[in-house]
Amino acid sequence: MRATSLLAPTLREAPAEAEIISHQLLVRAGFIRRVAAGVYNYLPLTMRVLKKIEQIIREEMDAAGGQELLMPIIQPAELWQDSGRWNVYGPELFRLKDRHDRDFALGPTHEEIITSLVKGEVSSYKQLPLLLYQIQNKYRDERRPRFGLLRGREFIMKDLYSFDRDQEGLDVSYMKMYHAYTKIFKRCGLTFRPVEADSGAIGGSDTHEFMVLADSGEAAVLFCGNEDCEYAANVEKAAQVFKNEKEKEELKPLSVKETPNMRTVEQVSTFLNIKPQKIIKTILYENEHGVVAALVRGDREVNEIKLLNALGCLRLDLAGENTVKKATGAAVGFAGPVGLKGIKIIADLEVAALVNAVAGANKGDAHIINVNPGRDFTIDLLTDIRMVQAGEPCPSCGSELKEARGIEVGQVFKLGDKYSKILGATYSDENGTSKTIIMGCYGIGVTRTMAAAVEQNHDQDGIIWPASIAPFHTVIIPVNTRDSSQVDLAEEIYGRLWSGGVETVLDDRAERAGVKFKDADLIGYPLRITIGSKAVAEKQVEVRVRKTGEMYLVPLDQVESVVRELLGKL
Amino acid sequence: MRATSLLAPTLREAPAEAEIISHQLLVRAGFIRRVAAGVYNYLPLTMRVLKKIEQIIREEMDAAGGQELLMPIIQPAELWQDSGRWNVYGPELFRLKDRHDRDFALGPTHEEIITSLVKGEVSSYKQLPLLLYQIQNKYRDERRPRFGLLRGREFIMKDLYSFDRDQEGLDVSYMKMYHAYTKIFKRCGLTFRPVEADSGAIGGSDTHEFMVLADSGEAAVLFCGNEDCEYAANVEKAAQVFKNEKEKEELKPLSVKETPNMRTVEQVSTFLNIKPQKIIKTILYENEHGVVAALVRGDREVNEIKLLNALGCLRLDLAGENTVKKATGAAVGFAGPVGLKGIKIIADLEVAALVNAVAGANKGDAHIINVNPGRDFTIDLLTDIRMVQAGEPCPSCGSELKEARGIEVGQVFKLGDKYSKILGATYSDENGTSKTIIMGCYGIGVTRTMAAAVEQNHDQDGIIWPASIAPFHTVIIPVNTRDSSQVDLAEEIYGRLWSGGVETVLDDRAERAGVKFKDADLIGYPLRITIGSKAVAEKQVEVRVRKTGEMYLVPLDQVESVVRELLGKL
């Protein structure tokens, strides 16, 4: 490709709306242009990246036995009504009516459509397992679309659905996908971790998220510091290692202390001169059943996902000031479990092990000391409801956990019979007995993976594409386009590289070399070949590695082999 | 691919709604399944066909200098309001609102978006010409979606837009696309014709439609019977060859004849014993300006597209009974140009050449004879407004025109400055003068091409895919899957063909051979390899060509070369 016929308009400044680096760089380097909030034009450079990612995905899906199909983007409401999601999905679902006033949705996901398809076409155990996937635009009407390709309203996803006879079959399909995903992100040249994630309140099924590690990642990941241990989990999922060791202290009598205006753990611990871990933090929540009190140790944070799952409720919100006042008789900051009436108390495991702890007195400006669970209040539900932190032991091997930040680019999920049961997708087994098909779903955000690659691979000058998903492998820059000997040499190498399968851009624009160098760094070609007067005279060109800045002086007849060798390492 | 792991569910019966053969066969052979009216699931076999068509398109677009990008499906209303099409487009445009109540459309086409993109990114003549294309779902809310993939509401299109400095540049881009399209449909193995088509009332720009010839085609095409002449036109566009030869007859005086209940040309011509070509057929239309009378010879039909263009109006409808009565004073069937007041008369060229003709008397049950244009009434506009028929002379070479039916699968169109002017897409020329960019647009219906291929290539047993777009090249059928020697031989050939690049399905289902043969014919694999006990014993297999029914007995060691040779011809 010649730069003069490539639409890759670079910009010096990123648009004000671009808050994160991938958004800024993808706009500045001429990969994307905004059409509406969360809706983008993908320019030619983006297409090349997306096609490479898609090709890697296709190869691994096919290798794992997947069959590609394509389902509609406009989905009739009836199927969503049958599954019950038409009403549940809320404003994130783009909805429209056709000319005959029939309701449709723009698909954010395709469980309904594919389950309905399989219901119609699969009748026998002989047709299972079945792995069906598509790569396609998806739609989600985000309240606040931002972050460029990381959180758009229109984005490209690969979604595969597995159909099995039973749970064991699902386990096999799940692991196939798990391994395929591992290969995909490895082949994309990304540093990532599959992490255990929460599967939501309904069902206790397995799910893993595939996280591309990047400091800017929106999610916290905990992983085992022991290299031989594979444990890694989303911070919302990570389980605490609880050793049930009660402090050996004599129980002392309850007593109320004045704590004027001392509301936070820090204030109370300083004021009373006790460690935060001696404090019982009491936080009130509201769900569809009423108000609950969640207790964790003062040095811990409530994990609301764990809490939600433990309570088995559908929603969970922090209780407002008025609710707290009504429930405890005191302002926010002074709630405690002692004497709390008509409110369910759910406590973290560690709380039950406390002796002579401090808690709010349910009275303004007061705390109670020498609180002892069991003696002074009853725990209705005792379980793990707290956040785990880096430094705690790994639940798998006991080594120390470390923390990283990640961007979720893929998820594998065991659906079980959630959709097949409700939509009636069954098969006959060997004995002619009708059974419900067991499903899994497996997504990869294709445009998201591209953005995550940029978040992980960039420097102050621009993007640093992994070679396997770079829009082009190499750019050739003739320093002076008015010097025909430089241009001729550039053309010759350009022709040789292309015919050798190295995707190359010849920057034939009549621009200063400095401008071209800047653009090359910004766009992020893995290699840059500079052809100046010295190259012509000494018959060797300068090859520069974008990632490391290493420079090589390469004799003309070795350019192809050196380029290929360098690319093999990037 | 093994048939046991391929989702290609064949059916004996087509659904009742399937009116045409491609719809019936694509459903029966397991290529598509309906989700809603005009909305389909594309099953794995379809994906393979579509990818091949898309790949051919991509290669030819790229070879012609096209750059692939991808624009959004959801398009903000503002751009459509700017271009004026938001209100004009009517109910065919799917519209929706986002959660913030902003209007969007599902793109039926992308002139607005791409013109806006180019406006923002192109400023200099140095950036032109520019050819940008995408392959993507398009949306059109048809009043009556039917015909399967031929007229869906969601369908796949390739659309390319060209941007040039001037008309000469556009001519070059247009011919590039014209030639690329010719290559594409040739490579798809289709019999087709590029035909001149009508470009609509606004502007007199060139346009060609690419028609796949098929008896079931919805459009009539006229083409020159002389093989050395390339003339071909959509029947709406075909120009008449008019020789201005007035009959040498003396003008006779007007006279009214009773023609009780004689309304049609046929009735009047029989009743008055005159040839139809002596009758002036008068048809009243209404447009936004009022009522017009269109005159053609009795043996001709009005071409409403030509009429609309000649009148330069936006809409044209046949006048209703009441309008006819009010305008002519008589019932439908007795209108004529003589004495018609306050109505514009537009006549076909041939009408002016008539002498002593017959016309309606604008009075019930009466016609006038010896009507002479010029003497008895005034023609306000004389031009070609009639349909041309097979048998008439070719406008290019004078040979006889022939007629065929075709399915439009592509169109190339000179837009000129229609969108660039209204949306302000300009560039600076060498002198710094700002000029409007000149555009063209070029579409190919990808799913439509697939359906058209089936319309053109099928027999009573099923589809006959051209090899270049067939989902697979070959199917191997072991006659008895319980005979391990047959199965082993089938497996061996299967492995050899795949590793030799021949896309092969091994029909390993535990079905009777007859069922497999029927499915193979229905799905339309170009070649079928049958492996029975004789094949094992005599070390030769039967290779059958789907298209011709030819059978070859091929020694085992020659299977690959024979298959490849046969495919090369299909």
Side-chain angles (χ1 to χ4, degrees):
Chain A
M1 198 86 202
R2 287 159 202 281
T4 46
S5 35
L6 176 65
L7 184 67
T10 54
L11 302 173
R12 288 207 191 163
E13 304 287 339
E17 75 199 27
E19 301 169 51
I20 60 164
I21 194 71
S22 67
H23 189 181
Q24 293 162 4
L25 289 176
L26 289 172
V27 173
R28 284 190 53 213
F31 284 77
I32 59 172
R33 285 295 182 266
R34 182 183 184 276
V35 175
V39 179
Y40 292 89
N41 283 321
Y42 304 149
L43 302 195
L45 289 176
T46 290
M47 289 310 292
R48 296 184 67 95
V49 175
L50 292 180
K51 275 192 209 160
K52 289 183 184 187
I53 297 173
E54 289 177 7
Q55 185 55 28
I56 290 171
I57 292 174
R58 281 202 173 93
E59 287 171 14
E60 296 301 337
M61 290 298 103
D62 292 348
Q67 296 183 58
E68 187 172 1
L69 43 59
L70 193 62
M71 292 177 278
I73 287 174
I74 50 173
Q75 307 187 358
E78 288 78 12
L79 280 172
W80 285 73
Q81 284 154 353
D82 290 349
S83 76
R85 291 208 291 180
W86 181 256
N87 293 321
V88 171
Y89 218 91
E92 285 200 356
L93 191 65
F94 274 110
R95 295 158 206 255
L96 71 159
K97 285 179 186 293
D98 74 0
R99 66 195 294 158
H100 304 298
D101 220 36
R102 290 196 198 94
D103 286 308
F104 285 82
L106 298 189
T109 171
H110 279 72
E111 281 84 2
E112 282 82 357
I113 300 263
I114 198 136
T115 308
S116 161
L117 172 70
V118 167
K119 176 187 176 177
E121 307 305 335
V122 168
S123 55
S124 159
Y125 69 95
K126 291 181 196 164
Q127 296 169 274
L128 301 177
L130 194 57
L131 304 173
L132 300 170
Y133 76 97
Q134 61 178 352
I135 299 177
Q136 192 193 44
N137 270 5
K138 294 277 191 272
Y139 294 84
R140 202 174 292 158
D141 196 358
E142 297 274 356
R143 179 187 297 274
R144 207 187 147 198
R146 51 181 187 161
F147 301 152
L149 298 190
L150 270 189
R151 196 181 300 165
R153 296 200 285 176
E154 178 179 76
F155 50 95
I156 300 176
M157 282 215 27
K158 183 283 302 181
D159 43 330
L160 183 142
Y161 304 87
S162 67
F163 300 87
D164 280 285
R165 302 181 56 165
D166 48 29
Q167 194 62 40
E168 290 69 47
L170 170 58
D171 291 344
V172 173
S173 295
Y174 185 87
M175 286 317 294
K176 272 188 194 167
M177 283 301 115
Y178 183 97
H179 292 308
Y181 276 36
T182 302
K183 283 187 203 157
I184 287 166
F185 296 115
K186 204 172 278 178
R187 286 182 61 188
C188 287
L190 300 172
T191 304
F192 69 97
R193 278 187 183 272
V195 305
E196 289 179 15
D198 180 70
S199 60
I202 301 153
S205 291
D206 293 343
T207 179
H208 283 84
E209 290 168 352
F210 284 74
M211 296 281 191
V212 165
L213 303 185
D215 294 340
S216 59
E218 82 266 88
V221 169
L222 290 166
F223 62 97
C224 185
N226 174 358
E227 281 186 12
D228 295 334
C229 176
E230 288 194 346
Y231 181 80
N234 188 315
V235 75
E236 293 164 340
K237 171 75 175 178
Q240 66 171 293
V241 177
F242 175 65
K243 287 181 191 139
N244 194 1
E245 291 166 355
K246 260 210 168 186
E247 291 170 278
K248 277 166 193 151
E249 220 179 282
E250 215 163 294
L251 305 199
K252 296 182 193 162
L254 275 185
S255 142
V256 175
K257 291 263 178 188
E258 297 285 310
T259 51
N261 235 349
M262 303 290 152
R263 295 161 188 269
T264 67
V265 166
E266 203 189 344
Q267 289 165 339
V268 173
S269 102
T270 308
F271 187 78
L272 297 179
N273 193 25
I274 49 161
K275 288 185 186 163
Q277 45 265 55
K278 283 293 254 189
I279 297 178
I280 298 174
K281 187 150 70 179
T282 305
I283 298 180
L284 269 62
Y285 288 90
E286 285 183 278
N287 65 16
E288 67 268 30
H289 308 300
V291 179
V292 297
L295 314 186
V296 294
R297 238 169 51 183
D299 58 332
R300 305 299 195 189
E301 299 297 330
V302 172
N303 179 326
E304 295 183 356
I305 300 291
K306 288 183 182 174
L307 181 59
L308 186 112
N309 290 342
L311 292 167
C313 55
L314 291 173
R315 64 174 189 85
L316 192 71
D317 300 299
L318 263 182
E321 274 183 51
N322 290 338
T323 308
V324 172
K325 213 154 193 174
K326 212 175 139 193
T328 67
V332 171
F334 301 98
V338 181
L340 213 52
K341 295 250 158 62
I343 288 175
K344 185 170 188 172
I345 293 179
I346 176 164
D348 184 64
L349 299 168
E350 292 177 338
V351 171
L354 289 176
V355 177
N356 299 332
V358 171
N362 296 325
K363 202 170 92 175
D365 298 331
H367 280 77
I368 307 182
I369 63 167
N370 300 329
V371 174
N372 286 288
R375 185 192 74 177
D376 303 323
F377 67 95
T378 304
I379 294 170
D380 296 310
L381 182 55
L382 181 69
T383 187
D384 176 6
I385 61 164
R386 73 167 175 89
M387 288 287 192
V388 173
Q389 293 157 306
E392 294 195 46
C394 166
S396 176
C397 76
S399 304
E400 200 169 278
L401 288 177
K402 294 190 171 176
E403 187 173 323
R405 302 210 60 87
I407 299 165
E408 187 198 331
V409 290
Q411 183 165 24
V412 291
F413 198 101
K414 293 186 180 175
L415 286 170
D417 63 3
K418 182 173 174 191
Y419 292 94
S420 46
K421 198 170 178 180
I422 208 164
L423 298 172
T426 59
Y427 69 96
S428 291
D429 71 6
E430 289 88 339
N431 308 315
T433 310
S434 175
K435 293 192 168 166
T436 299
I437 295 175
I438 302 300
M439 290 172 57
C441 67
Y442 315 86
I444 290 180
V446 178
T447 33
R448 202 160 216 271
T449 297
M450 172 172 164
V454 176
E455 289 290 333
Q456 187 178 77
N457 301 282
H458 67 269
D459 61 15
Q460 68 283 4
D461 297 322
I463 304 169
I464 305 171
W465 290 107
S468 64
I469 62 170
F472 291 91
H473 300 130
T474 305
V475 60
I476 299 176
I477 300 184
V479 174
N480 182 353
T481 45
R482 276 175 299 188
D483 178 339
S484 67
S485 60
Q486 289 181 30
V487 171
D488 290 349
L489 182 54
E491 290 278 356
E492 189 212 316
I493 296 175
Y494 173 65
R496 261 161 50 196
L497 288 178
W498 264 116
S499 55
V502 180
E503 298 167 20
T504 307
V505 169
L506 174 61
D507 196 343
D508 57 345
R509 295 175 300 164
E511 295 278 1
R512 282 179 298 112
V515 170
K516 295 185 186 182
F517 290 152
K518 269 201 178 329
D519 278 355
D521 280 355
L522 181 59
I523 290 171
Y525 305 105
L527 298 178
R528 187 186 85 194
I529 299 175
T530 308
I531 295 175
S533 49
K534 216 172 141 190
V536 175
E538 298 175 11
K539 296 199 187 307
Q540 49 186 14
V541 297
E542 178 197 289
V543 178
R544 180 170 171 273
V545 179
R546 172 73 182 88
K547 188 173 179 179
T548 59
E550 292 165 281
M551 304 259 212
Y552 300 90
L553 277 177
V554 182
L556 293 186
D557 59 351
Q558 291 171 32
V559 172
E560 283 167 76
S561 58
V562 169
V563 162
R564 229 188 292 271
E565 197 191 321
L566 290 171
L567 285 173
K569 295 180 199 157
L570 293 171
Chain B
M1 197 88 202
R2 286 160 202 280
T4 45
S5 35
L6 176 66
L7 184 68
T10 53
L11 302 173
R12 288 207 191 164
E13 303 287 339
E17 77 200 23
E19 301 170 50
I20 58 164
I21 193 72
S22 66
H23 189 180
Q24 292 163 5
L25 289 177
L26 289 172
V27 172
R28 284 189 53 213
F31 283 77
I32 58 172
R33 286 295 182 265
R34 181 182 184 278
V35 175
V39 179
Y40 292 89
N41 283 321
Y42 304 149
L43 301 194
L45 289 175
T46 290
M47 290 309 292
R48 296 184 68 94
V49 175
L50 292 180
K51 274 192 209 159
K52 290 183 183 188
I53 297 174
E54 289 178 5
Q55 186 55 28
I56 290 171
I57 292 174
R58 280 202 174 93
E59 287 171 12
E60 296 301 337
M61 290 296 104
D62 291 348
Q67 296 183 59
E68 188 172 0
L69 43 59
L70 193 62
M71 292 177 277
I73 286 174
I74 49 173
Q75 308 187 358
E78 289 78 11
L79 280 171
W80 285 72
Q81 284 153 353
D82 290 347
S83 77
R85 290 208 292 181
W86 182 256
N87 293 321
V88 172
Y89 218 91
E92 284 200 355
L93 190 66
F94 274 110
R95 295 158 207 254
L96 72 158
K97 285 178 187 292
D98 73 2
R99 66 195 295 158
H100 303 299
D101 220 35
R102 291 195 198 93
D103 286 309
F104 285 82
L106 298 188
T109 172
H110 279 71
E111 280 85 2
E112 282 82 359
I113 301 263
I114 198 137
T115 308
S116 161
L117 171 70
V118 167
K119 176 187 175 177
E121 306 306 336
V122 168
S123 54
S124 158
Y125 70 95
K126 291 182 196 164
Q127 296 168 276
L128 302 175
L130 194 57
L131 304 174
L132 300 170
Y133 76 97
Q134 60 177 353
I135 298 177
Q136 191 193 45
N137 271 5
K138 293 276 190 273
Y139 294 84
R140 200 174 293 158
D141 196 359
E142 297 272 357
R143 180 188 296 273
R144 206 186 149 196
R146 51 184 187 159
F147 301 152
L149 298 190
L150 271 189
R151 195 180 301 166
R153 295 200 286 176
E154 178 180 74
F155 51 96
I156 300 176
M157 281 217 24
K158 184 283 302 180
D159 43 331
L160 183 141
Y161 304 87
S162 66
F163 300 87
D164 281 284
R165 304 180 56 166
D166 48 29
Q167 194 62 40
E168 289 68 47
L170 171 57
D171 291 345
V172 172
S173 295
Y174 186 88
M175 285 319 293
K176 272 188 192 165
M177 284 302 115
Y178 183 98
H179 292 308
Y181 276 36
T182 303
K183 283 187 202 156
I184 287 166
F185 296 116
K186 204 173 276 179
R187 287 182 61 188
C188 287
L190 300 172
T191 304
F192 68 98
R193 277 187 183 272
V195 305
E196 290 179 14
D198 180 69
S199 59
I202 301 156
S205 290
D206 294 343
T207 179
H208 283 84
E209 290 168 354
F210 285 74
M211 295 281 191
V212 166
L213 302 185
D215 294 340
S216 59
E218 81 265 88
V221 169
L222 290 167
F223 62 96
C224 185
N226 173 0
E227 279 185 15
D228 295 333
C229 176
E230 288 192 348
Y231 182 82
N234 187 315
V235 76
E236 292 164 341
K237 171 74 175 178
Q240 67 171 294
V241 176
F242 175 64
K243 287 181 191 139
N244 194 2
E245 292 166 354
K246 261 211 164 182
E247 291 170 276
K248 281 166 191 150
E249 220 177 284
E250 216 163 296
L251 306 198
K252 297 180 194 164
L254 275 184
S255 138
V256 176
K257 291 262 177 187
E258 297 286 310
T259 50
N261 235 349
M262 304 291 152
R263 295 159 189 269
T264 67
V265 166
E266 203 189 345
Q267 290 165 339
V268 174
S269 104
T270 308
F271 187 77
L272 296 180
N273 194 26
I274 49 161
K275 288 184 185 164
Q277 45 266 52
K278 284 291 255 190
I279 296 177
I280 297 173
K281 187 150 69 176
T282 306
I283 299 179
L284 268 61
Y285 287 91
E286 284 183 279
N287 64 17
E288 68 267 31
H289 308 299
V291 179
V292 296
L295 314 186
V296 293
R297 236 168 54 181
D299 58 331
R300 305 298 194 189
E301 299 297 331
V302 172
N303 180 324
E304 294 183 356
I305 300 289
K306 287 182 182 175
L307 182 59
L308 186 111
N309 290 343
L311 292 167
C313 54
L314 291 173
R315 64 174 190 85
L316 191 72
D317 301 300
L318 263 182
E321 273 183 53
N322 291 338
T323 308
V324 171
K325 215 157 192 171
K326 210 175 137 191
T328 67
V332 170
F334 300 98
V338 182
L340 212 52
K341 294 250 157 63
I343 288 176
K344 185 171 186 171
I345 293 179
I346 176 165
D348 182 65
L349 298 168
E350 292 176 338
V351 171
L354 290 176
V355 177
N356 299 329
V358 171
N362 297 323
K363 202 170 92 175
D365 297 331
H367 279 77
I368 307 184
I369 63 168
N370 300 329
V371 174
N372 286 289
R375 186 191 73 176
D376 303 324
F377 66 94
T378 304
I379 295 170
D380 295 311
L381 182 57
L382 181 70
T383 186
D384 176 6
I385 60 165
R386 72 167 176 89
M387 288 287 193
V388 173
Q389 293 158 308
E392 293 195 45
C394 165
S396 176
C397 77
S399 304
E400 201 168 277
L401 288 178
K402 295 190 171 177
E403 187 174 323
R405 299 208 64 84
I407 299 165
E408 186 198 331
V409 288
Q411 183 165 23
V412 291
F413 198 100
K414 292 186 181 175
L415 286 169
D417 63 3
K418 183 172 174 191
Y419 293 92
S420 45
K421 198 170 177 180
I422 208 163
L423 298 171
T426 58
Y427 70 95
S428 292
D429 71 7
E430 288 90 337
N431 308 316
T433 310
S434 175
K435 294 192 169 165
T436 299
I437 295 175
I438 302 301
M439 292 173 57
C441 69
Y442 315 86
I444 291 180
V446 179
T447 34
R448 200 160 218 270
T449 297
M450 174 172 163
V454 177
E455 289 290 334
Q456 187 178 76
N457 301 281
H458 66 268
D459 62 16
Q460 68 282 3
D461 297 321
I463 304 170
I464 305 170
W465 290 107
S468 62
I469 62 171
F472 291 92
H473 299 129
T474 304
V475 60
I476 300 176
I477 299 183
V479 173
N480 182 353
T481 45
R482 278 175 297 187
D483 178 339
S484 67
S485 60
Q486 288 180 30
V487 171
D488 290 349
L489 182 53
E491 289 278 358
E492 189 213 315
I493 295 175
Y494 174 63
R496 261 163 46 198
L497 287 179
W498 264 115
S499 55
V502 180
E503 298 166 21
T504 307
V505 168
L506 174 60
D507 196 342
D508 56 345
R509 295 175 300 165
E511 294 280 0
R512 282 179 299 111
V515 170
K516 296 185 188 183
F517 290 152
K518 268 201 179 330
D519 279 354
D521 281 354
L522 182 58
I523 290 171
Y525 305 105
L527 298 178
R528 186 185 85 194
I529 299 175
T530 308
I531 295 175
S533 49
K534 215 173 144 193
V536 175
E538 298 175 10
K539 297 200 187 308
Q540 50 185 11
V541 298
E542 178 198 291
V543 178
R544 179 170 171 273
V545 179
R546 172 72 181 88
K547 187 173 179 179
T548 59
E550 291 165 280
M551 305 259 213
Y552 299 89
L553 278 176
V554 181
L556 293 186
D557 59 352
Q558 291 170 33
V559 172
E560 283 167 77
S561 57
V562 169
V563 162
R564 228 187 293 270
E565 196 190 322
L566 289 171
L567 285 173
K569 295 181 201 159
L570 293 171

